[in-house]
Amino acid sequence: MRFDGNPSWSINHDSFGEIAFALYVRDALGITSPTADSIPPLEPAAPARSHPDPPGLAGHWDDWWTRITGARPAAGHEAPAPAGPPEALDDLLPRLRRDHSRWAAGLRAEQARTGQPHTRDVIPFHDLVDEVRRELGRDGLDFTLSIHEVPVAGPYWLRIGTDTVLASSDLLRSPDAVAPLRSVIRDLAA
């Protein structure tokens, strides 16, 4: 991305998007698979729901997860439309979306009540980019980074694409986020 012919950078931060919803569905429905189990549970926990178990639900969830976290556009192309939940969940989706919205609103209200700053306000993005710029000896850096914040238990970091990471709220609120962020910025800017 360039503005007025000069290098520029962009860091996009998403919380409570489709990735967080997929994790909510996983936890609320008790879906287990190697893929589903590789990501910590939500914190606070999603209320468990009794549900009719659609055949192959874990496999459908895994496919959905792969589509929403793995589909990356080629450089210079628009991002594809987000992949929707599997059809096996069609009957459950209205209630799951409503329950997820309530859960997310409760989490945001609790964060506000306890005075937790938004993670965007904690992470020193400009400082990190400036440090890498000086380290590389450049006047400017040209890159895009997408951070998908996931409200899972404990510190969690996963680079899911060249320019995309999943990071837990806990990690993004701690000084431990600086090193992996600096490393990704350095990789993207090099």
Side-chain angles (χ1 to χ4, degrees):
M1 168 181 330
R2 295 184 182 274
F3 293 107
D4 298 327
N6 295 314
S8 61
W9 57 272
S10 171
I11 297 178
N12 306 305
H13 182 260
D14 174 43
S15 54
F16 298 109
E18 194 69 5
I19 288 174
F21 177 63
L23 292 173
Y24 180 88
V25 168
R26 175 203 64 179
D27 289 5
L29 299 181
I31 296 170
T32 63
S33 72
T35 300
D37 297 344
S38 70
I39 304 135
L42 291 172
E43 189 172 89
R49 298 195 54 221
S50 60
H51 63 286
D53 194 5
L57 184 56
H60 292 301
W61 187 90
D62 287 353
D63 291 343
W64 178 32
W65 183 257
T66 299
R67 286 193 319 270
I68 62 176
T69 62
R72 297 289 167 250
H77 293 85
E78 284 189 42
E87 289 179 11
L89 294 175
D90 281 352
D91 292 340
L92 301 171
L93 277 179
R95 187 166 181 186
L96 285 167
R97 289 236 185 246
R98 185 181 65 243
D99 293 350
H100 173 257
S101 292
R102 287 184 189 144
W103 175 85
L107 176 57
R108 285 190 291 266
E110 178 64 16
Q111 290 169 344
R113 186 187 68 73
T114 60
Q116 288 182 344
H118 193 286
T119 52
R120 280 188 296 256
D121 299 330
V122 174
I123 302 168
F125 289 124
H126 285 88
D127 294 343
L128 286 172
V129 172
D130 197 44
E131 286 174 25
V132 172
R133 181 193 58 75
R134 285 192 314 267
E135 176 186 317
L136 296 176
R138 296 193 190 151
D139 289 335
L141 300 181
D142 195 6
F143 70 90
T144 299
L145 172 61
S146 293
I147 301 170
H148 293 276
E149 180 179 347
V150 288
V152 297
Y156 179 75
W157 175 272
L158 179 66
R159 194 164 178 181
I160 59 172
T162 303
D163 61 353
T164 307
V165 298
L166 295 181
S168 68
S169 302
D170 282 353
L171 180 66
L172 292 175
R173 282 196 177 91
S174 83
D176 295 337
V178 172
L181 280 169
R182 184 183 295 118
S183 177
V184 170
I185 292 168
R186 189 180 301 112
D187 286 353
L188 293 172

